[in-house]
Amino acid sequence: MIGLTAYADPDTDGRFLSRAQCQALVDRIVTMTTGGGKTRVWIDSSWTDNLRWARNEIATGGDTRQSNLEILRTIRGASGNAATNALTDQMLSACVARAEHLVLLGQENPDNYPDPRPEIHPTATPSLWFDRTVTDDEPGRAALIDRMIEPAAAAGVLSAGYFQVAASGRAVIATDGLLRYYPYTTVQCSLTVRDPKGRGSGWAGVDWNDVVRIDAARLAQAALDKCLRSRNPVAVEPGRFTAVLEPQAVCDLVSVIVDRALERYVAEQGLGPFADPMRPGYSRIGQRVVDPRITLSADPMDPDCGFVPFDGAGEPYLPINWIDNGVLRALSYDRSYGLRQLSIDAALPNSGAFRLSGGTSTLDEMIAATTRGVLVTRFNNIRLLDFNSMLMNGNTRDGFWLIERGKITKAIKNFRFTESPMFMLNNLEMLGMPQRVFRPDAPAVVPPLMARDFSFTGLVDAV
Amino acid sequence: MTLLTRRHFLHTTSLAVAATAIPGRSARATPMVGAPGTPMVYVPPVAGVSVQPDLRLLAERAAEAARHAGAAYADARLTLTRQQSPGQSDSEACAFGVRVLVDGYWGFLASAVWTPDEAVRLARGAVAQANAHRRGKSRPVDLGAISIVHRGEWVMPVKYDPFDVSIEEKLDVINAFSDLASTARVGILPQAGMNFMRQYRVFASSEGSSWAQTTYRSSAQFGVRYRDEYHAGLPAAGFALDFLSPAGCGWELVIASGIAAAIPQLIDEAEQARHRVPVDVGRYDIVFGAEAMATLVDQTLGAATELDRALGYEANASGTSYLDDPLAMLGTERVTSPRISLSANRSVVGGAATVRWDDEGVVPDEFPIIANGVLVDYQTTREQAAWLAPYYQKAGHPLRSHGCAAAGSALDLTMQHSPNLALHPGSEPVTFESLVAGTEKGIAIYDINVGMDQQQLNGLGWGTMREIVHGKLGRYIRGGALAFRTPELWKNVVALGGPGTERLFGLSRGKGQPSQGTTHSVSAVPAKIPQLGIIDATRKA
């Protein structure tokens, strides 16, 4: 098999299932099946260790091991699935029986294609495992949290945050030869620093696979700094502003495009921002959809934005430019779409991870170039209002400032916004260096940016 | 299965007939109540525990091991959770969690393995973790005293365990609804689904409490909309039955509810809503239905009176609260109109958060949160109750947890979650209809989907809105959103539905890191609030 692993599997230390354990588990499951057909098992096994702090002291922790299994049985094209997290014979056979019962109720499905074959569809082999992320060192992590709390306590404000490490193995194994397994570690850290009287609030956070890439002291300082500088905000009349958005704020908006709008079938149904309104049944692939400086891509091998290189069906994630220099180049589809519509035996799954290309401007340069505008730390409470235009609303939080004549002049009260990231990406002034942001479900590398005419529609006096 | 039989089934409201309407089923709904003398404890298949079939022994062993390892307090929980969304997902999950307290610091370990060895590993690991958090300092934690229950047993009373009903029977109801609705009128797109959960939960603490309880949660979504009305994001002009939200009950939720009988009205509403008029922004007298009020209660006052949020423990997760100075506010702060009284419980029949014991072994009490407009209490756990000790002492209230500790399963650390909430009815014989009749020009809001900021202070809500003209319901409205500030919203309530207008709705909310979701019920009544702002949510600046 080609390129299944670039490095030796790690020692799981009994904390999650190894490749061999996953295989043995599936072998056991197969002996429990009846009625022939094929079996596919998806396994997500992990150990997580977390620490939570609030009001400048450690509040709680948690150390959890769990393996989630989903068993898919397919007999003559009809399929049924059931899930469990218990690895005993009794619970597993009950799970198989539930899946098989659903097979009997199911109809033969013409879209039931063979699983991807590892030798024909090899996956990428990103480095996602770092021993140092998951060393068994609770005292060390507690000491790290103490150091993060210290500057806030010294400044007389309150720090609350979360630090989590995890070691995981993800497997998709099927009786027709599919065998994929990938071990990976993750670490996330985020904190909110608030003034005790609730007058100011700051936030910072990031996630990585490798713990050494987290600069906890810098995060703690950033959140503290935002808290102090955002105190006692004044009200400014909402309206259209030039907006300088920090990378997290950009991520908050663009994530909705990546999570909801990148499905080719949906676009061809006339739904979403990438449906072509002029040609029913077609997407906007090949058309310019945003500013030519924008490229939206994903690559499991991205050293700053790698991810487990296959989806729940075992389909490999390929390097892809969804949007290339402003032009929509691809939308995701599954195997049956590929075979039916494109006559190719391939899927183009969307991992949810993304990289948004940037420019060379710094945040300071963007601020300096702003005559009158606002600086946004991040958004909260985002809701999609219209799928076709991607119009959404929500509010700013954790650091929001007015920029006048190239300088940050005052902390201002939060705004509600009503805007579309499609509009924002078409009204770009400047783009900064992309950087990893906080997005634990799927990684993202995103630049700060400056956009014209960003629509703020109301005051939100929450801090 | 013929459509005729399904029709018969759907038109049937008698449980006995319903259970026999479909011949040839191997599994049939069997009553769980009314069998006197036998303890109605769901006995799970105890996998992997060959020595001790009683999970309570495992829980007790873990609590004991933690105490031996140096914990001042420990509790162990085991859960077996069966969940099913017929036609979509079906799962069974087990969990074992041990929580310990060492010198004021918590430790928590959890896994999905039910063995005596694992009980000991979890207990010792949790103590080691708490010690790591302690780092030489101690922290005052006062859990207070609770009454000890030994080997307690409780099963939520339901008529039919949903997992005694075959999947065929459930899919029949879903398919029958879809058939009936889609053939009733051209262009109708039915949406139907159900969710069932049964959770067996075992608890033992180092204080000697041990119990097992089984809870149920059922919900269903039966709705219709026109095919050409689809806009993701914006609420489509779709209508769903409003009496199937999550509740602490069984299969009876579905079969006793008269789903088929409601289809014509659902379709009529969807038809009327096709001719929605664009919103005319401005200030209106609003008449809220009970469902909209339940959501507003939950998203504003409910979330804001969670004590951990108020004190900043959730600052980096679900948010804080505008009621953020409990000791200064309790007993004095006027947070709503004097008409408003809000209480909490975990005992209401059919409540999604109803339990006999909470996840710390506390028997929850019914307690007031807002009494005639004044903030009088917060939602608490054992640790949290002590934080309000000065107030309780001054007010002459006993110091006790209100029993709001919960967790989705034993894999999640216990924390404060919303109990069932109840907005008390007014004393006058007021109804939704009488409120509409008494409104010259306004808007009726039936249901609402609210987005709140992180302090529960500013909200924006979308929902099903209708004009009120000269005391009569008029056309449906498109694109309108209710923009409000929580304090003004509640201080301006001028009328509340009277006795008998209360209805119970099941709602979910998430909090914590890692995030946990739980479900609870909110009992609410219709209300009228004058001069609220209705904006066009889709209009840019």
Side-chain angles (χ1 to χ4, degrees):
Chain A
M1 299 198 206
I2 308 154
L4 268 180
T5 39
Y7 49 85
D9 281 348
D11 178 8
T12 64
D13 197 21
R15 294 188 287 191
F16 64 99
L17 296 176
S18 67
R19 175 191 305 268
Q21 285 169 323
C22 287
Q23 278 178 278
L25 183 60
V26 174
D27 288 345
R28 251 169 77 213
I29 289 168
V30 170
T31 65
M32 296 167 180
T33 62
T34 54
K38 70 170 191 174
T39 305
R40 186 169 81 202
V41 184
W42 175 89
I43 304 170
D44 200 355
S45 178
S46 64
W47 165 78
T48 64
D49 188 65
N50 74 70
L51 260 168
R52 233 188 145 191
W53 70 96
R55 296 175 71 92
N56 294 346
E57 61 181 13
I58 289 174
T60 58
D63 173 321
T64 308
R65 297 178 184 180
Q66 185 182 209
S67 299
N68 288 305
L69 273 74
E70 177 143 336
I71 299 173
L72 176 71
R73 291 278 294 127
T74 306
I75 302 174
R76 288 189 295 280
S79 56
N81 61 301
T84 187
N85 71 346
L87 309 185
T88 60
D89 283 350
Q90 195 176 349
M91 297 273 274
L92 286 174
S93 57
C95 186
V96 169
R98 290 200 306 276
E100 291 184 345
H101 188 85
L102 291 171
V103 172
L104 296 178
L105 301 178
Q107 294 182 343
E108 293 200 5
N109 180 358
D111 285 352
N112 228 312
Y113 297 100
D115 290 315
R117 300 193 65 84
E119 63 275 21
I120 301 170
H121 304 96
T123 69
T125 54
S127 295
L128 305 177
W129 178 274
F130 298 90
D131 281 332
R132 56 196 169 215
T133 301
V134 288
T135 49
D136 200 359
D137 181 22
E138 265 159 5
R141 284 191 282 275
L144 175 80
I145 302 312
D146 272 357
R147 289 197 298 278
M148 290 184 73
I149 291 171
E150 232 162 64
V157 292
L158 298 174
S159 176
Y162 184 67
F163 189 92
Q164 176 191 291
V165 296
S168 309
R170 188 174 298 168
V172 186
I173 299 173
T175 47
D176 61 4
L178 174 68
L179 196 170
R180 302 215 197 273
Y181 176 85
Y182 223 83
Y184 60 102
T185 58
T186 53
V187 53
Q188 59 165 290
C189 180
S190 64
L191 76 161
T192 302
V193 176
R194 289 177 68 83
D195 176 276
K197 297 266 181 228
R199 292 170 302 194
S201 180
W203 177 91
V206 75
D207 69 279
W208 285 101
N209 297 103
D210 184 354
V211 71
V212 303
R213 301 195 73 167
I214 289 206
D215 186 342
R218 200 188 61 77
L219 288 175
Q221 193 56 49
L224 170 62
D225 186 50
K226 282 178 183 294
C227 169
L228 298 178
R229 289 195 298 120
S230 71
R231 281 190 291 193
N232 302 319
V234 298
V236 169
E237 189 68 22
R240 293 212 178 217
F241 284 82
T242 293
V244 176
L245 307 186
E246 292 199 4
Q248 190 66 46
V250 176
C251 173
D252 292 340
L253 301 183
V254 174
S255 284
V256 187
I257 298 177
V258 174
D259 292 341
R260 309 251 328 231
L262 291 182
E263 210 175 327
R264 185 158 171 172
Y265 174 76
V266 171
E268 289 174 354
Q269 295 292 303
L271 299 169
F274 302 129
D276 190 335
M278 300 293 121
R279 295 182 305 157
Y282 286 87
S283 73
R284 296 181 67 191
I285 289 176
Q287 299 176 20
R288 197 174 82 74
V289 291
V290 290
D291 186 284
R293 284 170 288 179
I294 290 292
T295 294
L296 178 70
S297 60
D299 181 354
M301 295 297 285
D302 189 327
D304 295 326
C305 197
F307 47 93
V308 174
F310 52 85
D311 74 0
E315 298 287 355
Y317 289 125
L318 308 170
I320 183 73
N321 282 4
W322 304 111
I323 296 172
D324 193 357
N325 293 311
V327 176
L328 183 67
R329 287 294 178 203
L331 292 169
S332 70
Y333 51 87
D334 61 15
R335 196 87 165 284
S336 70
Y337 182 98
L339 282 161
R340 230 177 28 232
Q341 303 289 330
L342 308 174
S343 302
I344 50 170
D345 180 12
L348 183 60
N350 171 15
S351 67
F354 72 94
R355 171 183 279 275
L356 194 68
S357 65
T360 54
S361 309
T362 65
L363 209 56
D364 286 343
E365 286 166 355
M366 294 182 205
I367 292 165
T370 303
T371 313
R372 188 168 191 274
V374 292
L375 172 60
V376 182
T377 297
R378 66 166 177 149
F379 295 108
N380 186 43
N381 192 18
I382 293 172
R383 293 189 168 222
L384 185 60
L385 299 173
D386 180 64
F387 189 34
N388 288 347
S389 64
M390 293 304 279
L391 189 72
M392 47 185 85
N393 74 5
N395 59 277
T396 64
R397 67 175 287 187
D398 299 318
F400 187 47
W401 294 275
L402 186 69
I403 304 167
E404 291 170 301
R405 291 190 197 85
K407 287 197 168 56
I408 293 174
T409 51
K410 56 189 88 148
I412 54 177
K413 287 195 176 185
N414 286 309
F415 278 163
R416 176 177 294 130
F417 73 92
T418 307
E419 191 52 275
S420 162
M422 300 300 295
F423 178 89
M424 173 184 83
L425 294 175
N426 271 299
N427 284 270
L428 287 180
E429 292 281 345
M430 297 167 82
L431 274 167
M433 296 281 286
Q435 65 186 66
R436 183 74 176 247
V437 295
F438 182 79
R439 197 162 177 263
D441 292 339
V445 170
V446 186
L449 62 78
M450 174 180 166
R452 305 179 289 278
D453 296 329
F454 198 97
S455 160
F456 292 99
T457 44
L459 264 181
V460 171
D461 56 356
V463 171
Chain B
M1 186 49 48
T2 64
L3 183 61
L4 192 68
T5 314
R6 288 183 191 149
R7 279 180 195 277
H8 178 70
F9 178 80
L10 275 174
H11 283 294
T12 299
T13 51
S14 152
L15 300 180
V17 179
T20 54
I22 300 164
R25 294 277 171 256
S26 53
R28 288 226 307 252
T30 46
M32 290 207 41
V33 288
T38 52
M40 286 171 297
V41 177
Y42 166 66
V43 181
V46 184
V49 191
S50 52
V51 190
Q52 306 288 3
D54 191 338
L55 294 184
R56 280 175 300 199
L57 294 181
L58 276 184
E60 286 165 12
R61 185 187 182 102
E64 183 68 14
R67 220 164 49 94
H68 276 293
Y73 168 85
D75 55 34
R77 293 170 296 139
L78 294 97
T79 53
L80 179 65
T81 310
R82 184 87 171 82
Q83 282 183 286
Q84 187 183 63
S85 301
Q88 291 177 29
S89 66
D90 195 319
S91 72
E92 185 167 40
C94 56
F96 193 169
V98 181
R99 183 180 71 144
V100 304
L101 187 65
V102 180
D103 216 2
Y105 288 85
W106 294 103
F108 176 69
L109 251 69
S111 80
V113 178
W114 285 348
T115 62
D117 286 351
E118 185 71 354
V120 174
R121 184 188 76 83
L122 295 174
R124 290 183 181 158
V127 170
Q129 187 194 88
N131 271 315
H133 296 170
R134 184 163 64 128
R135 296 173 46 69
K137 299 169 290 189
S138 65
R139 180 173 169 264
V141 169
D142 176 7
L143 296 181
I146 66 166
S147 55
I148 302 303
V149 54
H150 183 62
R151 297 286 168 99
E153 275 179 15
W154 185 77
V155 179
M156 177 179 276
V158 299
K159 282 207 175 82
Y160 299 93
D161 183 324
F163 298 98
D164 286 346
V165 179
S166 72
I167 189 112
E168 287 88 341
E169 205 164 332
K170 292 165 184 158
L171 291 173
D172 267 346
V173 174
I174 289 172
N175 293 336
F177 173 84
S178 300
D179 288 347
L180 284 173
S182 55
T183 52
R185 200 168 302 175
V186 175
I188 282 287
L189 197 62
Q191 289 170 316
M194 306 172 183
N195 311 283
F196 301 102
M197 187 189 81
R198 175 182 65 205
Q199 192 165 58
Y200 177 66
R201 182 173 302 235
V202 167
F203 174 94
S205 77
S206 59
E207 295 168 335
S209 274
S210 70
W211 47 256
Q213 70 182 350
T214 301
T215 52
Y216 292 86
R217 192 167 72 232
S218 298
S219 65
Q221 304 79 40
F222 287 95
V224 297
R225 60 177 167 77
Y226 273 91
R227 271 173 212 284
D228 52 7
E229 278 278 343
Y230 184 71
H231 296 289
L234 264 191
F239 288 85
L241 298 177
D242 66 357
F243 46 79
L244 299 170
S245 69
C249 64
W251 174 239
E252 63 271 17
L253 177 85
V254 175
I255 55 176
S257 57
I259 291 168
I263 290 177
Q265 193 193 337
L266 271 182
I267 292 178
D268 279 350
E269 284 171 350
E271 172 66 31
Q272 287 185 47
R274 293 182 97 185
H275 313 291
R276 288 178 294 176
V277 291
V279 64
D280 190 6
V281 303
R283 294 206 162 256
Y284 290 90
D285 293 350
I286 310 280
V287 175
F288 293 95
E291 186 177 7
M293 289 305 287
T295 303
L296 287 171
V297 164
D298 187 54
Q299 292 285 326
T300 60
L301 304 173
T305 55
E306 296 187 353
L307 188 56
D308 51 359
R309 292 187 59 139
L311 292 175
Y313 286 88
E314 280 281 298
N316 193 50
S318 61
T320 53
S321 168
Y322 74 102
L323 304 173
D324 60 356
D325 195 352
L327 288 176
M329 292 172 162
L330 279 167
T332 54
E333 187 83 0
R334 298 204 159 273
V335 293
T336 64
S337 144
R339 294 169 194 280
I340 300 291
S341 287
L342 178 71
S343 66
N345 71 78
R346 298 191 71 182
S347 55
V348 65
V349 173
T354 293
V355 292
R356 176 71 188 275
W357 298 282
D358 83 346
D359 270 25
E360 295 182 310
V362 172
V363 177
D365 62 343
E366 186 175 346
F367 63 100
I369 294 175
I370 293 165
N372 300 320
V374 177
L375 179 68
V376 293
D377 217 335
Y378 285 79
Q379 304 158 45
T380 57
T381 62
R382 291 182 70 179
E383 180 183 7
Q384 292 170 353
W387 300 342
L388 300 181
Y391 165 69
Y392 291 138
Q393 200 169 17
K394 197 175 67 186
H397 297 322
L399 176 61
R400 60 154 295 166
S401 162
H402 290 309
C404 303
S409 81
L411 278 166
D412 293 329
L413 177 63
T414 304
M415 60 186 296
Q416 189 273 315
H417 283 282
S418 181
N420 301 315
L421 301 169
L423 175 64
H424 296 194
S427 51
E428 308 292 314
V430 172
T431 63
F432 179 77
E433 290 73 23
S434 74
L435 289 173
V436 169
T439 302
E440 182 54 25
K441 181 174 183 294
I443 288 176
I445 301 182
Y446 293 84
D447 51 60
I448 197 161
N449 187 348
V450 178
M452 297 298 303
D453 65 45
Q454 63 276 13
Q455 284 189 301
Q456 262 55 44
L457 196 51
N458 301 264
L460 199 59
W462 293 264
T464 309
M465 298 187 184
R466 259 178 111 164
E467 295 174 326
I468 301 174
V469 184
H470 305 312
K472 291 207 159 45
L473 288 168
R475 296 167 299 181
Y476 284 87
I477 297 168
R478 169 162 48 88
L482 173 76
F484 64 91
R485 277 187 93 254
T486 301
E488 282 80 58
L489 181 87
W490 288 107
K491 282 176 183 165
N492 292 332
V493 173
V494 293
L496 273 181
T501 61
E502 314 94 308
R503 289 191 54 200
L504 201 61
F505 297 92
L507 297 163
S508 296
R509 234 177 319 112
K511 66 191 292 193
Q513 281 178 308
S515 69
Q516 306 182 14
T518 56
T519 306
H520 54 281
S521 292
V522 181
S523 166
V525 296
K528 181 173 175 177
I529 309 178
Q531 295 303 296
L532 290 174
I534 297 289
I535 65 168
D536 178 354
T538 61
R539 194 163 69 188
K540 301 215 295 189

